Amino acid sequence: MAHARLRGVVALDGPSGTGKSTVSRKLASALGAAYLDTGAMYRAATLAVLHADVEPSDPDAVARVVRAARLSVGTDPERPAIFLDGSDVGREIRGPEVTGAVSAVSAVAAVRDQLVAQQRELVNEALLAPGGVIVEGRDIGTVVVPDAGLKVYLTASAHARAHRRTAQDVSEGRAGDLDRTHADVQRRDALDSGREVSPLRKADDALELDTTDLDVVAVLEQLHKHVESRGLLVAAERTTP
Ligand code: DC
């Protein structure tokens, strides 16, 4: 049976809690695309810094630790995977210690240079297979893949984002604390948008999509419509019945 596959790159940027990860994965699965979660890479780099007992606010020491860390990333949307020095750290990188330190680590220029180079390699590798790739993060449309076929900048009110993050924490077995999460969302917004290197901002040619009052299905519908109208869908034969 014929169905549609993505070709090329879709860049999805925006702050935490806008639903980026959920919709990126679902869209990638629906369109036979690879999926790259760049936030997971910054989180794994942060875990390396914490394991090394280095101050996240010391850029030289942070850069040294991250240079020596071996990060590997899986791009299958059904099984996103992230390994640090050979260990699966998918769960550990979502904990409060990493969340508290990741903005400081991701503000270090040498860390960004290293991870952006690795992200571009992963995107190029993914593009060798049919199906394109959906890349989510903060600087995908502005820095990592500035020539992406479609760039979308997701937003939502801080209140809605804090609610979603809290619900996610609870569903994944962590303690849910709405006030603390709200404060953390605002703190990270300020740090990620205010940093000198590659601050979080909408690319000039990105479409903005406010997800405050939209559920996942509605966001996916919008994204699908934009992918189609950009001519980024190609017909493909299904290999499974
Ligand atoms: O999407 P996330 O919450 O897992 O991202 C974790 C942190 O990583 C976020 O606070 C900002 C940083 N980040 C970044 O600086 N650049 C990216 N492309 C992705 C994430």
Side-chain angles (χ1 to χ4, degrees), residues 16-113:
S16 149
T18 48
K20 277 194 317 287
S21 299
T22 306
V23 296
S24 301
R25 274 182 69 180
K26 285 185 185 290
L27 191 67
S29 290
L31 298 181
Y35 160 68
L36 179 60
D37 175 1
T38 61
M41 297 173 72
Y42 287 97
R43 286 175 177 273
T46 303
L47 188 61
V49 169
L50 297 177
H51 281 169
D53 228 355
V54 149
E55 262 309 308
S57 57
D58 178 346
D60 293 337
V62 164
R64 219 171 19 251
V65 170
V66 176
R67 207 176 310 122
R70 265 187 310 121
L71 288 188
S72 72
V73 189
T75 57
D76 177 349
E78 303 294 332
R79 267 174 301 280
I82 177 104
F83 290 84
L84 171 63
D85 297 326
S87 299
D88 180 346
V89 292
R91 225 182 133 71
E92 219 176 337
I93 60 166
R94 306 286 163 196
E97 294 80 12
V98 169
T99 300
V102 66
S103 287
V105 171
S106 58
V108 176
V111 169
R112 301 203 72 82
D113 288 347

